[in-house]
Amino acid sequence: MAKRLLCSPNQSDVVSLKFRQASFELLTDFLFNFNKRNKDSLNSLSECSGTFKNKRLIECILLISRELRLDPLAGYHAIELLQRFMVKHLTDLLTTPTPPGAAAEQPRSNEDAVFDKLKDRFPLVIFSCVQLASKMSLHSHMIDNNTTVRFLHSVGHRVSKQTVLESELMVLKGLEFNVNVTNPMTYVEILLEVLGHNEPSIPVDRLYHHCQHVLQFISLQRTAIFDSLLMTTTQCVEPSREQREKFVTVTEDCMLLGVGVIAVTTFILHFRKWKQVVGGLSHITGISGRSISDFAHATLVHILGTGFPQ
């Protein structure tokens, strides 16, 4: 963590700082920016939000990132790029009018044709997102086209450099060239930075290393953990469809996920600091201590198989 660089909230700005050396003013700017981006994202959620964050896809991207020795940040960045691209891409494909006469020639539905066409290129789309994320990360080497071709060949996908370039361009266009997106790991980092500034007695350096493992666990067990949290929130064993739809703003809340990751890690490593950390995180984010505790409880139930003291 001590060698990690911080990215400026502005895409064109890069601030080279070691952990816990940022000024209070800069930390405040970061926090304000991240909070605004999180709120903007929550206010513009689509019906498909979270669809491409299932366990198999997340595991695939994280394993690719590890195999290529990328920083974990790049993996989580790629997950966000894939989610945004696929929602936009499928929406565009499924809402494009069918050409006159095409319906009579194709017995299958337009949706079937779209998904069949996408199925073959999907592994390359995933890798294009990883490749783009590596280019946006200050902490990882960039994955060039030669590496991409070799890697895909090694896992049974025969592609050319031209195909790789076309896929990367397709993803970029689908994202409207906006690849400077935030991800859960960036929220964990900035929250730890601010927490360390406000509460010097909290061992945030040690927490950071283990936060990566906790975030990975939550990402892979996302469905089960949020189902538990939904039942706790609604007090219903079988929440209604309407309750589930409204709960999307919780499942996609990166700030809540960030404080939850830190709270869970603190409970495991430094239980005596638990209340101090939860209070500090609540003060920083405005998220209630109860909400942070509920999230941590839902996660710890799946990690430990039991609850924890309130």
Side-chain angles (χ1 to χ4, degrees), residues 56-88:
R56 290 183 63 187
L57 279 177
I58 291 177
E59 186 175 28
C60 175
I61 291 175
L62 294 181
L63 285 174
I64 290 174
S65 301
R66 182 184 300 175
E67 182 69 21
L68 295 173
R69 299 180 180 179
L70 299 178
D71 189 278
L73 193 68
Y76 292 107
H77 195 153
I79 292 168
E80 295 301 320
L81 292 179
L82 179 66
Q83 167 69 28
R84 292 169 186 246
F85 169 74
M86 288 303 299
V87 170
K88 175 73 164 53

Side-chain angles (χ1 to χ4, degrees), residues 14 37 73 106 137 161 174 188 229 272 300 305:
V14 175
R37 293 175 72 171
L73 193 68
Q106 297 181 357
S137 175
K161 290 183 183 178
V188 170
L229 185 58
R272 291 183 178 179
L300 287 161

Side-chain angles (χ1 to χ4, degrees), residues 20-306:
R20 301 187 74 174
Q21 289 187 355
S23 67
F24 177 75
E25 291 76 14
L26 186 58
L27 287 176
T28 301
D29 287 344
F30 272 113
L31 188 61
F32 176 83
N33 178 269
F34 277 47
N35 187 50
K36 182 179 183 302
R37 293 175 72 171
N38 186 54
K39 288 182 177 179
D40 289 344
S41 177
L42 293 177
N43 289 331
S44 59
L45 292 175
S46 75
E47 295 180 0
C48 301
S49 295
T51 303
F52 293 92
K53 292 182 180 178
N54 63 58
K55 182 177 180 178
R56 290 183 63 187
L57 279 177
I58 291 177
E59 186 175 28
C60 175
I61 291 175
L62 294 181
L63 285 174
I64 290 174
S65 301
R66 182 184 300 175
E67 182 69 21
L68 295 173
R69 299 180 180 179
L70 299 178
D71 189 278
L73 193 68
Y76 292 107
H77 195 153
I79 292 168
E80 295 301 320
L81 292 179
L82 179 66
Q83 167 69 28
R84 292 169 186 246
F85 169 74
M86 288 303 299
V87 170
K88 175 73 164 53
H89 188 60
L90 284 175
T91 300
D92 290 345
L93 290 176
L94 294 173
T95 55
T96 301
T98 304
E105 298 173 5
Q106 297 181 357
R108 295 176 302 170
S109 69
N110 182 48
E111 288 82 0
D112 289 338
V114 166
F115 284 112
D116 282 350
K117 183 178 180 180
L118 186 60
K119 181 172 62 177
D120 294 333
R121 67 171 69 170
F122 191 55
L124 184 54
V125 168
I126 293 174
F127 202 92
S128 293
C129 291
V130 175
Q131 188 175 15
L132 286 170
S134 76
K135 294 178 180 180
M136 293 297 295
S137 175
L138 295 175
H139 325 302
S140 299
H141 57 282
M142 290 192 298
I143 304 301
D144 59 27
N145 292 333
N146 289 326
T147 302
T148 300
V149 170
R150 284 197 302 270
F151 182 88
L152 290 172
H153 281 193
S154 72
V155 294
H157 295 286
R158 312 298 293 183
V159 296
S160 65
K161 290 183 183 178
Q162 182 62 32
T163 304
V164 170
L165 284 170
E166 290 172 355
S167 176
E168 186 175 17
L169 183 58
M170 179 183 71
V171 173
L172 279 170
K173 287 182 176 179
L175 293 169
E176 298 178 341
F177 294 90
N178 179 22
V179 293
N180 185 34
V181 299
T182 57
N183 65 75
M185 195 68 234
T186 59
Y187 281 85
V188 170
E189 290 187 348
I190 190 61
L191 288 170
L192 280 174
E193 286 273 5
V194 178
L195 186 64
H197 182 276
N198 292 349
E199 308 282 351
S201 65
I202 296 175
V204 290
D205 292 276
R206 185 162 181 243
L207 286 176
Y208 174 77
H209 174 72
H210 292 277
C211 276
Q212 295 186 50
H213 300 296
V214 172
L215 177 57
Q216 179 175 302
F217 178 87
I218 294 174
S219 298
L220 293 174
Q221 300 298 325
R222 170 188 171 89
T223 300
I225 290 171
F226 279 115
D227 279 350
S228 296
L229 185 58
L230 175 59
M231 286 188 285
T232 298
T233 303
T234 61
Q235 296 295 301
C236 295
V237 178
E238 296 184 4
S240 66
R241 179 177 179 179
E242 183 181 1
Q243 288 173 320
R244 289 185 177 279
E245 290 176 351
K246 290 182 178 179
F247 198 68
V248 173
T249 56
V250 176
T251 64
E252 298 303 307
D253 190 337
C254 284
M255 193 68 79
L256 175 63
L257 179 55
V259 298
V261 167
I262 296 171
V264 170
T265 306
T266 303
F267 176 86
I268 295 172
L269 293 180
H270 303 285
F271 180 68
R272 291 183 178 179
K273 298 284 186 179
W274 161 257
K275 290 185 178 180
Q276 181 185 1
V277 168
V278 170
L281 291 172
S282 179
H283 175 74
I284 292 168
T285 63
I287 299 173
S288 71
R290 182 66 189 181
S291 295
I292 298 173
S293 296
D294 285 346
F295 187 99
H297 182 272
T299 304
L300 287 161
V301 164
H302 291 276
I303 293 177
L304 306 174
T306 184

